[in-house]
Amino acid sequence: MDVVEQELTHPWEGVLAAPAHGSDVGLLVLAGSSGRIERERTRILAQQGIAALSIRWFGGPGQPPGICEISLETFTAAVDFLAARGARRIGILGVSKGAEAAVLTAVYDPRVDVVIALSPTSRVWCNVGPGHDGEQRPYRSSWSWRGQPLPFVPMDDSWTPIDPGSGPVAIRGWYELSEQSFAHLLPMAEIPVEKARADLLLIAGGDDAMWPSLPFAEQLAERRRSAGASVHLIARHDAGHRPRLPGESPAPASPHFLYGGTPEADLLLGEAAWPHILDRLVSMAPPGF
């Protein structure tokens, strides 16, 4: 399928990859704390008949340098963008902090039809990096809505890596300790995913070394099921934080963090999820697609 790519500079940096003949399906694609624009992922999705938009949602012009009180209106504006270009079915695909943003956006914006959350969290966490003021402490929420920060869980800075050294570290234990230390804050920080009208597809690896995304995904699924809302969870216990979709390049190693899993397991998880992703986006497109 012929794909056309359009570079964007306003209202955010980004790229729109779409079939040359157009599409009734629009998908916002969000990276995690890398902050990158997901060019390869949007291209692969566009080859399946989807208009895929990836934006830089922090660290760009006029944006906070870190994930600190990011306005969820950043993402509802992207929904506006896709709808204005003819999308009649709209989804958001995000990984890690991008999955956190995706689920929250669907809670507040009923126009979102489907959320595909890779390595998600079930609660709102504190900032990762500095805000507009350049400060990282005291901890603040990662997100805001209509000018108000969302309740969040801070990090317990007493945590130290199990094997402190000069190499990359696994920080899952930091999140697990913080849940214990701030247990009284967890109820307010839980994402009310049952309020989202969107269909929810969760994809998580049990060997995630960044945060416990599989337990988080199971918590999200339970909230949805308890409310009678649709949800589907796809998991592999040997996969890590970065599932790879068919056709994507292997995820690069990081000098800072361990992500868990193996390239083979991460690819197998992505392959298992792929038909479910396409089913929710392409196969369920409105008449006329």
Side-chain angles (χ1 to χ4, degrees):
M1 180 179 295
D2 291 335
V3 170
V4 176
E5 295 186 25
Q6 177 186 354
E7 293 291 328
L8 306 172
T9 57
H10 181 79
W12 359 250
E13 295 176 344
V15 63
L16 175 67
H21 59 72
S23 177
D24 286 342
V25 182
L27 182 67
L28 174 61
V29 180
L30 301 175
S33 57
S34 70
R36 66 174 165 263
I37 297 168
E38 294 279 20
R39 297 178 184 277
E40 182 181 53
R41 185 162 284 178
T42 56
R43 191 176 304 120
I44 289 169
L45 289 158
Q47 289 168 350
Q48 299 297 319
I50 299 161
L53 167 70
S54 183
I55 65 173
R56 188 180 307 283
W57 49 274
F58 72 96
Q63 297 174 332
I67 305 173
C68 184
E69 298 185 347
I70 301 295
S71 168
L72 293 177
E73 285 86 349
T74 304
F75 311 111
T76 61
V79 173
D80 293 338
F81 179 94
L82 291 168
R85 280 154 181 77
R88 298 167 60 195
R89 182 169 178 79
I90 294 175
I92 308 178
L93 183 153
V95 59
S96 189
K97 293 297 287 187
E100 189 177 339
V103 176
L104 284 166
T105 301
V107 168
Y108 290 100
D109 192 336
R111 297 174 299 169
V112 179
D113 296 296
V114 58
V115 169
I116 301 155
L118 286 72
S119 305
T121 172
S122 59
R123 52 189 57 101
V124 174
W125 287 93
C126 61
N127 57 299
V128 179
H132 275 297
D133 59 2
E135 300 295 328
Q136 301 196 51
R137 302 291 190 280
Y139 284 119
R140 289 163 282 178
S141 182
S142 288
W143 317 104
S144 70
W145 175 248
R146 295 179 176 172
Q148 297 300 312
L150 300 187
F152 67 96
V153 184
M155 304 302 289
D156 184 339
D157 285 334
S158 71
W159 176 82
T160 56
I162 294 175
D163 184 21
S166 59
V169 298
I171 62 172
R172 174 174 177 152
W174 194 7
Y175 283 93
E176 292 171 333
L177 174 63
S178 299
E179 287 182 300
Q180 297 171 17
S181 301
F182 300 106
H184 62 291
L185 298 178
L186 299 185
M188 286 295 293
E190 296 292 335
I191 299 174
V193 68
E194 68 279 2
K195 295 182 179 180
R197 185 189 68 82
D199 188 11
L200 181 61
L201 177 63
L202 303 167
I203 302 157
D207 194 43
D208 191 332
M210 286 292 286
W211 63 15
S213 61
L214 183 50
F216 287 156
E218 290 167 340
Q219 292 163 15
L220 288 170
E222 179 56 32
R223 285 188 73 115
R224 292 282 288 186
R225 294 188 187 110
S226 296
S230 62
V231 64
H232 190 71
L233 169 59
I234 300 170
R236 277 189 66 96
H237 288 277
D238 56 351
H241 191 69
R242 300 185 292 179
R244 308 305 291 168
L245 301 181
E248 289 188 318
S249 305
S254 167
H256 306 293
F257 301 112
L258 295 174
Y259 293 100
T262 65
E264 295 77 16
D266 295 346
L267 179 58
L268 287 170
L269 178 55
E271 288 177 344
W274 188 235
H276 298 276
I277 293 171
L278 297 183
D279 179 65
R280 280 156 179 79
L281 293 170
V282 179
S283 300
M284 298 176 68
F289 171 69

